[in-house]
Amino acid sequence: MSSRATVLGRIRAALADAPADDGVPARNYLRRHTGSEGVLPLLVENLRDYRAIVHEVTPDQLPAAVADALRRRKCSRVVVPPGTPEAWTSAITDVELLGDKPPLTIDQLASVDGTITGCAAVIAETGTIVLDAGPAQGRRALTLVPDYHLCVVHAADVYASVPDTIGRLDPSRPLTWISGPSATSDIELDRVEGVHGPRTLEVLVVT
């Protein structure tokens, strides 16, 4: 008999005399956002609380906002995932845009100044950006290796709560959940950014 079978057998034996219904009602989890806050203002507040840099722009302002963000960072080389709309990068000058076909090596990704992506969904209550490797997002390494992540978020992709968002995601896709720049703390709570991903997250919320 395998160790697994032994453990499961002991569990079944321990539960043999347990009542079928213990009378405890199932938890009624929150399924929808019930707050009075506007979804976009709540998102912006929580993103900034996570130390992300946030700008609200209109669709017409987006190309210039992308170019301005890269200029402020003094970027010279950035990665652009497959499927990125040409309009997003149409105002960029003096910046080399690298595609990821064929896939760049980890050393190549580490040598660039940043990456530009879209997203699959965004959760306002938690300030969380969800990527699923879809168009304009690329593979997970693109947003984990470079030190700077510029993310374009459209208002239509913003949902109020985690339950609101879960039902709209494809669980078969590789999901990456981003809540602010990469950060960790040691036992003395000294915060260190950039350990497990980009040190700087900048978000353009297209309203």
Side-chain angles (χ1 to χ4, degrees):
M1 181 180 293
S2 67
S3 298
R4 179 176 182 274
T6 300
V7 170
L8 292 176
R10 290 176 180 174
I11 293 173
R12 294 190 190 97
L15 297 175
D17 57 352
D21 183 0
D22 58 9
V24 178
R27 294 182 179 179
N28 184 21
Y29 289 105
L30 177 66
R31 299 292 179 182
R32 289 291 179 267
H33 174 70
T34 57
S36 59
E37 306 92 341
V39 172
L40 287 181
L42 181 61
L43 170 65
V44 171
E45 177 185 351
N46 286 327
L47 284 171
R48 287 175 174 158
D49 189 52
Y50 274 124
R51 302 189 188 185
I53 303 167
V54 186
H55 309 276
E56 297 181 72
V57 300
T58 65
D60 290 342
Q61 295 169 335
L62 178 60
V66 171
D68 289 343
L70 299 183
R71 189 178 302 113
R72 285 192 301 270
R73 289 282 302 182
K74 299 180 180 179
C75 293
S76 59
R77 301 170 72 236
V78 297
V79 180
V80 180
T84 300
E86 291 184 6
W88 291 9
T89 59
S90 60
I92 294 175
T93 58
D94 301 324
V95 178
E96 182 182 0
L97 302 179
L98 302 178
D100 194 41
K101 283 189 176 182
L104 301 172
T105 66
I106 297 301
D107 286 342
Q108 287 174 317
L109 288 176
S111 70
V112 302
D113 298 308
T115 185
I116 306 169
T117 77
C119 63
V122 186
I123 306 170
E125 279 188 340
T126 60
T128 302
I129 296 168
V130 185
L131 309 179
D132 68 357
Q137 298 169 59
R139 56 195 174 105
R140 185 170 291 170
L142 300 191
T143 54
L144 293 179
V145 179
D147 198 49
Y148 170 64
H149 180 190
L150 177 62
C151 186
V152 176
V153 170
H154 286 88
D157 297 323
V158 179
Y159 303 102
S161 66
V162 174
D164 285 329
T165 309
I166 289 293
R168 294 170 169 83
L169 297 173
D170 183 350
S172 67
R173 298 190 65 82
L175 301 177
T176 302
W177 301 64
I178 301 170
S179 296
S182 168
T184 189
S185 297
D186 61 18
I187 196 171
E188 295 181 351
L189 301 182
D190 291 328
R191 179 183 173 98
V192 179
E193 298 180 350
V195 177
H196 309 294
R199 199 185 320 268
T200 303
L201 171 64
E202 189 161 3
V203 182
L204 301 178
V205 180
V206 185
T207 60

